[in-house]
Each structure stands twice: as structure tokens, then as C-alpha cells.
Amino acid sequence: MAVIGLALLVATVAVACARSEPRTFRVLATTDIVGWLAGAVAGPSAQVTVVVPAGADPRTFTGDAELARQLDGADLVIAVGGGFERGLQPALDAARRTGTKVLFLLEDLAPEPYGRTPAYEPGPAPTGPDAPEIGAPDPSFWMDPDRAAQAARSIAAALDSQAPQFAVLTAVNLDRVERDLVAADEAVQGALAPLAGAVSSLITDDPHLGYFANRYGLSIAAPGDGRQPTDVVLYATTLGPPGSGAETLPGLLVVDARNLATALTAGT
């Protein structure tokens, strides 16, 4: 009887512990950069899943039945917004209508008009297939560390609203993210300092560099009229692979700055 009683006690305690364990807070992020921001702010409090696979275009990716299931089971969905995820927009709107919290980061960031900021030289802005219309909101906020920090604060506010039990940890993580972005900003300025006063035009079809160029005093022009694209490797829409140094958003900004400094110095 003593053995049976002990077994029942252990079983009862195990069931009670299982019932007291908090349910995993599930976050869906559309891209790996948004996923990095979400994961860095949430920390181990949440399970963050990136929706758009590596190498896929967020503008054309539409998902499948599995995505619908994930959206239905998510506690929070985080997207760029502003048309950046055009293919996913119907699914995101449907999730919102059924009560899922969907955070469109661009709504809080006062986006700049694409192609109409001081970074763009007179003439046509880059107009590749993934470029916004001239004058439309530029969605690539993550290329500006200040806007990236504001996006992190928006994520923290959404997490606090949906999962207030994690608020203290979220605040600690947010502070770390903000400090890392400030450090990256300083490193970028240091990397680009040798270009001060020199020719620093970036000839590119990449439409995601406007915020970066505007913040750090670079100029962007589209190829053409004898202008050849600048020969440089940049991470602008996705994090870099392991070993690249661009596996995080702060790292991405610094790696891009160093690559640009090398390329533009060589081209002067």
C-alpha cells in the first residue's frame, strides 16, 4: 500500500506540474530580419517562427495550408506591412479578422517616400521588380538603426499587451537590443568615415538601401548612362549565413558598411 500511495503521489505531482507550466507563447514573423527582432526582444519567452523561407520573395510568397494553421494558432503575428508582404496580405488580413493580433511594424515608423529623399541622386531611382513605386512608403526600415530600435519597441509593446507575464524579461531584452543597435550605428559611422568628402555614390538596382544611404550621407543612383553597378556584396533583405557576420541585424548593418566602404573607396 505504501508503494502504491507513493506512486499515486508522484503521479499527482507530475500532473499538477504539467498543468502549472505556462503554455508556449507563439510568434510568427514574416521575414528572418523581423524574426530576429522578435526573438531578440522576446527571448526564451516565445517560440518565434519565420514564415517566408530563405531565398523566397516576401512580395510573392503566399504560403499554404500549413501557414493558415500556423496563423490560426499564433498569439502574435509580426509583419513589415506597407505592401512588403503582398503575397501574404490576404492571409494576414484574414488572421486579423478572426482575432489574431497582427502587428504591422511600418504603421509606427513614419516611413520615407521611396526615391524622394536626399539619398537619391537626380534621375531614376532603382526600379527593379521588387522596388516600391516612386513616392510610396519605403518598407526597408531595418536599414536605419533608429527605426529598427523603434520597431523593437513596438514589438515589446505588443508582447506586453499579449503576454504581460513576460514584461520584465521583455524590458531587459529590449534594452539589450537598443544598446546593440546603438553600437552598430557607431560602428557603421566609423566604417564609413573614410568616405567623408569623397565620391560616395552607390550605383545599384537594389531598392532597399534608401534609409541606410540617407542616414549615413551616401548617394544612390540607378545604373545607366554609362554608370556601372557598384561591385559589392550587401545584405539588405535577409540576414547573412553563418560565418558572414551578418547573422543578426546589428551585424548586418556593420558588415554592409564595411563592404560599402571597401567598394566605394576602391571606386574613387
Side-chain angles (χ1 to χ4, degrees):
M1 290 297 294
V3 173
I4 294 174
L6 179 60
L8 289 174
L9 175 62
V10 171
T12 301
V13 171
V15 170
C17 289
R19 288 176 178 171
S20 65
E21 289 179 358
R23 182 179 64 81
T24 300
F25 189 81
R26 291 162 295 187
V27 177
L28 288 188
T30 53
T31 72
D32 62 353
I33 292 176
V34 173
W36 182 85
L37 279 169
V41 173
S45 303
Q47 174 187 327
V48 179
T49 301
V50 174
V51 172
V52 180
D57 186 348
R59 291 172 176 79
T60 58
F61 181 78
T62 58
D64 52 19
E66 173 61 18
L67 173 61
R69 187 191 65 79
Q70 290 178 321
L71 286 169
D72 185 58
D75 297 294
L76 175 63
V77 179
I78 307 175
V80 174
F84 186 70
E85 301 101 341
R86 286 194 293 267
L88 289 172
Q89 195 67 45
L92 295 174
D93 290 342
R96 236 183 188 181
R97 286 194 299 269
T98 58
T100 300
K101 171 68 175 178
V102 181
L103 173 65
F104 291 108
L105 294 171
L106 216 61
E107 291 179 352
D108 296 331
L109 297 178
E112 295 176 351
Y114 177 72
R116 290 184 176 168
T117 64
Y120 294 93
E121 294 183 2
T127 54
D130 57 348
E133 293 183 7
I134 301 299
D138 186 341
S140 309
F141 70 84
W142 55 88
M143 298 303 291
D144 176 348
D146 277 353
R147 280 185 166 83
Q150 177 57 53
R153 290 190 284 272
S154 296
I155 291 171
L159 287 169
D160 287 348
S161 173
Q162 299 297 106
Q165 67 271 30
F166 302 129
V168 173
L169 181 58
T170 297
V172 171
N173 292 337
L174 175 61
D175 181 68
R176 182 183 301 112
V177 170
E178 291 179 316
R179 286 188 282 108
D180 287 348
L181 287 167
V182 168
D185 187 35
E186 294 171 350
V188 169
Q189 293 182 53
L192 297 177
L195 297 177
V199 176
S200 54
S201 294
L202 174 61
I203 313 300
T204 180
D205 271 330
D206 192 325
H208 306 289
L209 301 171
Y211 289 108
F212 189 91
N214 210 43
R215 180 172 182 83
Y216 298 110
L218 303 176
S219 295
I220 293 178
D225 296 329
R227 295 176 299 198
Q228 297 300 314
T230 304
D231 185 15
V232 58
V233 174
L234 297 176
Y235 301 98
T237 59
T238 186
L239 298 175
S244 66
E247 303 94 333
T248 68
L249 180 54
L252 177 155
L253 295 169
V254 175
V255 168
D256 278 359
R258 290 171 179 166
N259 290 349
L260 275 171
T262 299
L264 293 177
T265 301
T268 56

